[in-house]
Amino acid sequence: MTHTSSSDCNSALIERARRCIPGGVNSPVRAFGAVGGTPPFITRAEGAFVWDAAGRRYTDYVGTWGPAILGHAHPAVLDAVCAAAKNGLSFGAPTEREIELAEESGRLMPSMEQVRLVSSGTEACMSAIRLARGATGRKLILKFEGCYHGHADALLVKAGSGLATFGQPTSAGVPPEVTQHTLTLPYNGVAQLEAAFAQHGADIACLIMEPIGGNMNFVRASVEFTRRARELCTQHGALLIYDEVMTGFRVALGGAQSVYARAIPGFVPDITVLGKVVGGGMPLAAFGGRRAVMEQLAPLGPVYQAGTLSGNPIATACGLATLREIQREGFHEQLAARTRRLVDGLKNEAARAGVPLSADCEGGLFGYFLLPELPRNYTEVARSDAQQFARLFHGLLARGIYTAPSLYEAGFVSAAHTDADIDATLEAAAQALRAL
Ligand code: HOZ
């Protein structure tokens, strides 16, 4: 069945939303600014599908931007959330489930001897940076172009999707004094990384990186780049912060750090940042690392960090139920196989349609580019033809396939996507690619 993306219902809603919410949305990429048209207003989600206000069903590859690894409204997760809600919504006091979630996360990612729970990826990254600065007594932060670590002031420099999509290299409202201690380098640039440490090594508090750049679509850090990042941090006494908000529990049960540890024996970050899957769809994120570093946090240490909703009982119930489900035998193998089937299929269909397309995936995370070769950094991603991407996006949406409305965003497959769903997606993609 063919759909149109701008139904009367959705158009009426976005017009109404624009009157009372800036741009009509509560997070910029949802406004479809980069692709044009009207965003579907979602009324319901179940399994691999979302439904809009006009009652149209879409196969969903946004997956609420990552948390929905089990698919939407998984029964075991819903049961856990409803049971928790009956006992109260928020206590602002310690609960046993916080311990369970910290223990479980640390068991799956042993680099995290201790874990602190917060409410969003932005908060987790911001707190991890403060911790690294407090623990090292240094000021400089090293980050990479196209990597997004939330919207804390000091991190809004060349930060990929959202900013990239809207052509803002940084944000208004952030004084230069606030970002003067943030050094930004090209992703995968080993020589530039070495030069930065040679020049500033003694002042660098931390290097923060996405192991797979998921806010410039899907760009892998090379093994050599990751190895050098680890070695240089160790050599110069800087902390390596691995932002696994997108990759954590999604690309593998042990996160991207377990994937890179296969190629770099003994590889571990100093601090890991988690979000999305760890909260299963509720506002929950975390950061964790070695005990000696984590114990710099208040109330034990001098680095202050706090939150009324941190470790919220509903969010921890949701996260725990999700983490338990993804530990079922063969979960990630099957998820990876489905994602691979999608990515290989897209490449085949593009080749048949004569459209240059490259694509990559790891576990349940994927990306595709209207470029003949996979890009290695933000500059190469930005060579994509944004208009052609928008046409492909709308070709898919009109055929009931909901993908990220920006060429700088990654895609997400869930355990609820069946082979038949993937095949139907590929059939829609074949038509949309031929129509380009
Ligand atoms: N930060 C997300 C993009 N990488 C957007 C989240 C949203 O709009 O929900």
Side-chain angles (χ1 to χ4, degrees):
M1 188 171 41
T2 302
H3 301 303
T4 55
S5 62
S6 61
S7 70
D8 287 351
C9 283
N10 293 309
S11 302
L13 285 168
I14 192 71
E15 275 170 35
R16 190 174 140 210
R18 283 184 187 131
R19 288 197 285 275
C20 54
I21 300 172
V25 292
N26 285 307
S27 188
V29 73
R30 303 179 194 176
F32 276 30
V35 291
T38 305
F41 275 64
I42 305 302
T43 54
R44 188 164 85 80
E46 191 180 329
F49 306 105
V50 293
W51 283 261
D52 74 4
R56 296 193 182 104
R57 190 186 86 163
Y58 303 86
T59 308
D60 180 21
Y61 292 100
V62 176
T64 184
W65 301 98
I69 193 166
L70 301 172
H72 295 283
H74 188 279
V77 177
L78 286 188
D79 284 351
V81 166
C82 292
K86 286 185 181 149
N87 287 324
L89 299 182
S90 175
F91 311 134
T95 61
E96 188 173 357
R97 269 202 296 277
E98 292 164 88
I99 311 173
E100 289 176 53
L101 192 53
E103 286 173 347
E104 196 79 350
S105 305
R107 202 171 57 71
L108 297 175
M109 290 189 196
S111 65
M112 298 195 296
E113 290 173 0
Q114 289 202 331
V115 177
R116 171 70 48 101
L117 301 182
V118 294
S119 301
S120 73
T122 289
E123 197 188 345
C125 286
M126 180 188 85
S127 306
I129 295 279
R130 186 181 303 146
L131 174 61
R133 282 173 158 164
T136 58
R138 298 175 180 182
K139 284 186 194 162
L140 287 189
I141 306 167
L142 212 157
K143 78 175 282 292
F144 300 105
E145 285 169 21
C147 283
Y148 177 70
H149 306 290
H151 60 88
D153 284 356
L155 294 166
L156 279 183
V157 188
K158 299 189 179 172
S161 176
L163 296 163
T165 299
F166 295 98
Q168 290 170 244
T170 185
S171 168
V174 179
E177 292 80 1
V178 176
T179 53
Q180 67 179 324
H181 303 302
T182 307
L183 289 177
T184 308
L185 301 174
Y187 197 64
N188 278 323
V190 173
Q192 292 93 330
L193 185 62
E194 289 174 340
F197 270 99
Q199 197 178 346
H200 303 287
D203 299 320
I204 298 174
C206 60
L207 179 165
I208 184 165
M209 66 185 288
E210 289 182 273
I212 295 171
N215 288 275
M216 47 179 161
N217 198 324
F218 180 109
V219 181
R220 279 174 199 275
S222 71
V223 168
E224 183 53 14
F225 182 64
T226 306
R227 186 199 319 274
R228 287 304 283 145
R230 177 64 278 178
E231 286 170 354
L232 288 163
C233 282
T234 305
Q235 196 181 323
H236 292 269
L239 298 179
L240 176 62
I241 303 178
Y242 226 40
D243 179 346
E244 293 230 41
V245 168
M246 291 181 79
T247 53
F249 305 126
R250 173 167 281 280
V251 300
L253 190 54
Q257 54 200 268
S258 71
V259 174
Y260 280 87
R262 280 184 228 138
I264 310 168
F267 174 81
V268 278
D270 298 303
I271 300 175
T272 298
V273 180
L274 296 173
K276 304 202 187 269
V277 173
V278 73
M282 295 292 287
L284 187 147
F287 61 105
R290 280 198 310 281
R291 182 178 307 277
V293 174
M294 294 301 289
E295 287 189 347
Q296 296 297 313
L297 285 173
L300 295 180
V303 179
Y304 189 71
Q305 185 279 327
T308 298
L309 294 175
S310 294
N312 173 272
I314 321 294
T316 49
C318 188
L320 267 175
T322 302
L323 291 193
R324 287 186 181 138
E325 289 298 317
I326 67 172
Q327 291 178 65
R328 287 183 188 277
E329 181 82 30
F331 179 92
H332 281 87
E333 287 73 10
Q334 195 174 49
L335 181 66
R338 293 261 160 78
T339 312
R340 172 58 61 193
R341 181 187 181 98
L342 176 68
V343 160
D344 288 346
L346 282 175
K347 288 197 276 195
N348 289 339
E349 296 304 344
R352 266 193 216 122
V355 175
L357 181 144
S358 53
D360 198 3
C361 61
E362 188 71 42
L365 188 67
F366 73 96
Y368 64 89
F369 299 91
L370 292 168
L371 293 170
E373 305 287 338
L374 285 172
R376 287 160 299 180
N377 56 38
Y378 177 75
T379 306
E380 292 181 10
V381 174
R383 289 187 190 132
S384 303
D385 181 336
Q387 284 181 353
Q388 204 186 25
F389 175 86
R391 281 197 295 277
L392 178 57
F393 167 81
H394 278 294
L396 291 169
L397 192 69
R399 292 171 176 83
I401 310 298
Y402 185 63
T403 57
S406 161
L407 68 84
Y408 295 99
E409 297 285 354
F412 303 91
V413 175
S414 79
H417 288 82
T418 62
D419 281 343
D421 295 329
I422 303 284
D423 291 344
T425 301
L426 293 174
E427 175 51 37
Q431 293 173 17
L433 284 160
R434 281 200 298 271
L436 280 186

